[in-house]
Amino acid sequence: MKIAVDVMGGDYAPEAVIEGILLALSSLSNDDTILAVGPQGTIEQLLAKHGYAGKQIAIIHADQVIEMGEHPTKALSQKPNSSIGVGFHLLKEGKADVFASAGNTGAMMVGSLFSVKTIEGISRPAIAGFVPQEDGTYALMLDIGANADCKPEMLDQFALLGSVYFEATTGKKAPRVGLMNIGEEEQKGNILSLATHALLKENKKINFIGNIEGKDFFKNKADVIVTDGFTGNIILKMGESIYKIMKDQGITNDFVENTNYEKYGGSPIIGINGNVIIAHGASSPLAIKNMIKLCRSVVESDVCGKIKAAIENQ
């Protein structure tokens, strides 16, 4: 497996990314290779600093960097030799099985759409987030920010995308799909929720259990939580805040630890012709290590191929 990692992506790059890559090496097989994308000299210096002289890290030179605040489309076109641009080139050419970055989320999304492109039949890809549950499991929520404004047909597809991903990566058959809403009753919600509920109810490809409310978010009521990207992003970031609040108050337990974003490593973009992982901008070495772990899971489970098969059979 060839895992391409943007060494220059994230608030603490490149040091934290290199440290995370080194932490991840012990969990990789001998045949796996990390393609470290970034300035060759910088990467060589950091690897030497940590005393690494192995062969599992291959340096792919990229002498430009897309900063967090840059306009995604302009930056990708004006900086073709950026670490994100080169990473997508590797993915598109089949020289990498997966590409991951803690850098500019917008650039990662634009790169996905214009490089490996959307799977035929998918109206819009979604970013999926992992939601810890009280019983120690996790749910998958999508969208969490790629599509702030959604149509009912898009949410209907998100339900299928999430179901295929969850089953492929966990092995659980017919995962439960819940629609995030302001009430459990079928007639509750705004125009988008009402129209989406009707579509999900008729979708024979998914196991739709109906509406779920905010109070159900951590209660293991659903395996796949469907919502628009605007709502999903707000909920996810609110959930992430629990970890720091509890830590500041000296409170910790298994559930609190599971709300730490570092544990999940990142979020997959689902619905594109390739494997792309977006990590948190503030990713630490531990988060980068788990990002690489997530990369392996996505490739090994062949999520992309299974989504294509599900769409073709609609």
Side-chain angles (χ1 to χ4, degrees):
M1 188 182 299
K2 290 182 171 59
I3 302 170
V5 176
D6 173 15
V7 171
M8 304 307 293
D11 298 339
Y12 307 115
E15 290 85 355
V17 181
I18 291 297
E19 289 178 27
I21 289 173
L22 293 172
L23 286 174
L25 290 180
S26 61
S27 63
L28 302 180
S29 71
N30 292 332
D31 295 331
D32 293 335
T33 302
I34 300 291
L35 306 179
V37 186
Q40 183 169 346
T42 300
I43 297 173
E44 287 176 342
Q45 288 176 5
L46 287 171
L47 291 177
K49 174 184 174 182
H50 291 279
Y52 179 79
K55 297 181 179 180
Q56 278 194 281
I57 300 175
I59 300 174
I60 308 297
H61 180 62
D63 57 11
Q64 295 176 311
V65 178
I66 295 177
E67 304 295 343
M68 288 295 197
E70 289 191 71
H71 188 281
T73 306
K74 287 183 180 179
L76 279 170
S77 63
Q78 294 172 359
K79 295 182 175 180
N81 294 320
S82 65
S83 51
I84 290 180
V86 172
F88 274 112
H89 177 75
L90 293 171
L91 189 64
K92 182 180 179 181
E93 295 298 315
K95 296 177 181 178
D97 298 300
V98 56
F99 174 48
S101 173
N104 188 307
T105 299
M108 290 295 287
M109 195 68 198
V110 171
S112 297
L113 292 172
F114 290 96
S115 181
V116 292
K117 303 185 185 304
T118 306
I119 292 172
E120 187 174 355
I122 299 291
S123 58
R124 289 297 299 272
I127 303 175
F130 299 97
V131 182
Q133 302 296 290
E134 269 190 333
D135 62 0
T137 62
Y138 68 83
L140 191 73
M141 180 168 67
L142 64 171
D143 184 24
I144 62 165
N147 307 283
D149 296 300
C150 292
K151 297 179 180 179
E153 293 78 13
M154 292 166 63
L155 295 186
D156 187 40
Q157 279 198 340
F158 293 168
L160 178 59
L161 293 175
S163 295
V164 174
Y165 182 96
F166 195 89
E167 182 173 330
T169 55
T170 68
K172 182 175 181 178
K173 301 294 184 182
R176 300 161 298 164
V177 176
L179 175 64
M180 182 56 69
N181 208 333
I182 59 172
E184 294 182 355
E185 299 85 355
E186 185 174 342
Q187 67 273 20
K188 285 287 185 72
N190 55 14
I191 294 173
L192 175 62
S193 299
L194 291 169
T196 300
H197 191 287
L199 291 177
L200 296 178
K201 190 176 178 181
E202 297 301 318
N203 191 337
K204 305 302 181 185
K205 294 282 186 180
I206 63 171
N207 176 21
F208 181 52
I209 61 166
N211 293 327
I212 65 170
E213 300 179 68
K215 63 182 177 65
D216 304 319
F217 193 56
F218 300 114
K219 295 291 187 180
N220 196 19
K221 291 286 186 72
D223 301 304
V224 178
I225 301 171
V226 176
T227 186
D228 61 274
F230 183 85
T231 305
N233 190 275
I234 291 173
I235 296 174
L236 191 75
K237 288 179 179 175
M238 180 275 296
E240 285 181 351
S241 72
I242 293 175
Y243 181 73
K244 188 175 188 307
I245 292 171
M246 295 296 101
K247 284 291 187 179
D248 289 345
Q249 296 183 7
I251 301 171
T252 186
N253 54 42
D254 289 343
F255 175 73
V256 170
E257 290 301 317
N258 286 339
T259 62
N260 182 2
Y261 72 87
E262 292 178 316
K263 180 172 182 177
Y264 302 96
S267 299
I269 301 179
I270 306 179
I272 57 174
N273 283 296
N275 301 307
V276 176
I277 304 296
I278 299 175
H280 202 292
S283 287
S284 64
L286 176 60
I288 297 297
K289 173 189 174 182
N290 288 327
M291 176 188 79
I292 293 171
K293 180 181 177 181
L294 178 60
C295 286
R296 292 196 89 254
S297 171
V298 169
V299 176
E300 286 178 338
S301 56
D302 188 27
V303 172
C304 189
K306 290 173 181 175
I307 288 173
K308 288 180 181 179
I311 295 299
E312 289 172 359
N313 294 328
Q314 275 190 314

